[in-house]
Amino acid sequence: VMDLSGSMYTFNRMDGRLDRLLEIAVLIFEAFDGFEHKYEYSMVGHSGSTANEVLVDWNRPPSTRRDRLLLCQKMAAHAQYCWSGDHTLDATELAIRDCGSSAADEHFVFVISDADLQRYNIKPEHLGTIMLQDPAVRAFAIFICTNDLRAMKGVFLPPGAYRPTSANEAEDIRNGLPPGRGFICTDPAKLAVAIKQIFRGTIMQNS
């Protein structure tokens, strides 16, 4: 479940978070290429406009570089032109329900979010409850946040301006989730590494 919210586009110029998210999408496309007999996956986006922007349907992964490029362009365009708002809860619930509806040895849902929950009065505990709604589906959340705004060169945010979620705020969200289900990435440049580690610690150890 990919965060394609407007804030991902807005703060991309500061820390490259949307660019890194697109890299993650490509990483997933390439990692599962050739393993369709063993793994099935889908990919959806969430934003203020929708909780379920279908990017990759089950058993229909992008098979060519052109297909992957078009998907990445679609993701970037959605983040740029979507409405403000947050559908993290609905997106997570829909993804868990969709994933759990198919027969499989293991079911996993990974939600990537820029942790902008407080702005929309979303309680971490509510998200945690949704993540545990189906015992057969293991759901995880990865939160992109900013460790230090002062380290962002060439960035000026006037007093009162909308700011990216801080590491402390993301930590509060993680603490409100079930143990081991939340992860924080304070450096979007290392998002790919974080995702690989999470995959290795969840999917691969159950293979």
Side-chain angles (χ1 to χ4, degrees), residues 141-157:
I142 302 97
F143 299 107
I144 303 171
C145 59
T146 299
N147 193 35
D148 187 359
L149 276 174
R150 295 168 300 180
M152 295 182 175
K153 297 181 180 180
V155 175
F156 172 72
L157 290 176

Side-chain angles (χ1 to χ4, degrees), residues 8 17 20-22 24 27 112 142-144 185 187-198:
M8 289 292 289
R17 59 182 60 191
R20 299 297 179 259
L21 187 71
L22 299 182
I24 293 300
L27 181 151
I112 299 180
I142 302 97
F143 299 107
I144 303 171
C185 180
D187 182 359
K190 299 179 180 178
L191 184 59
V193 175
I195 294 294
K196 287 180 181 179
Q197 291 175 342
I198 295 169

Side-chain angles (χ1 to χ4, degrees), residues 6-196:
S7 54
M8 289 292 289
Y9 175 80
T10 299
F11 298 122
N12 186 58
R13 65 185 178 89
M14 297 181 181
D15 56 18
R17 59 182 60 191
L18 182 57
D19 293 337
R20 299 297 179 259
L21 187 71
L22 299 182
E23 291 176 2
I24 293 300
V26 175
L27 181 151
I28 293 173
F29 300 154
E30 295 180 348
F32 290 106
D33 187 29
F35 291 92
E36 291 81 4
H37 63 287
K38 189 172 185 180
Y39 301 107
E40 295 181 15
Y41 75 92
S42 71
M43 184 181 295
V44 299
H46 66 94
S47 68
S49 295
T50 180
N52 189 43
E53 178 70 18
V54 178
L55 303 170
V56 178
D57 210 346
W58 297 102
N59 294 316
R60 298 183 62 184
S63 57
T64 67
R65 289 185 177 181
R66 181 179 182 277
D67 291 339
R68 295 167 187 171
L69 174 60
L70 291 175
L71 267 176
C72 288
Q73 291 175 336
K74 177 181 179 180
M75 293 170 68
H78 185 102
Q80 181 175 0
Y81 296 111
C82 68
W83 293 99
S84 62
D86 191 286
H87 281 94
T88 303
L89 297 183
D90 291 339
T92 303
E93 185 171 6
L94 287 171
I96 292 174
R97 189 185 308 162
D98 184 38
C99 182
S101 65
S102 300
D105 295 332
E106 298 282 347
H107 299 81
F108 298 92
V109 168
F110 298 92
V111 180
I112 299 180
S113 167
D114 66 358
D116 196 20
L117 304 185
Q118 185 176 3
R119 184 185 182 207
Y120 299 99
N121 297 315
I122 298 175
K123 303 298 183 183
E125 293 77 12
H126 193 179
L127 176 60
T129 298
I130 291 175
M131 293 173 71
L132 296 177
Q133 68 182 16
D134 186 345
V137 179
R138 298 179 62 192
F140 301 88
I142 302 97
F143 299 107
I144 303 171
C145 59
T146 299
N147 193 35
D148 187 359
L149 276 174
R150 295 168 300 180
M152 295 182 175
K153 297 181 180 180
V155 175
F156 172 72
L157 290 176
Y162 174 37
R163 295 168 179 264
T165 303
S166 69
N168 289 337
E169 291 173 316
E171 184 70 30
D172 289 340
I173 296 173
R174 182 173 65 176
N175 290 339
L177 300 182
R181 296 301 183 95
F183 301 86
I184 295 175
C185 180
T186 58
D187 182 359
K190 299 179 180 178
L191 184 59
V193 175
I195 294 294
K196 287 180 181 179

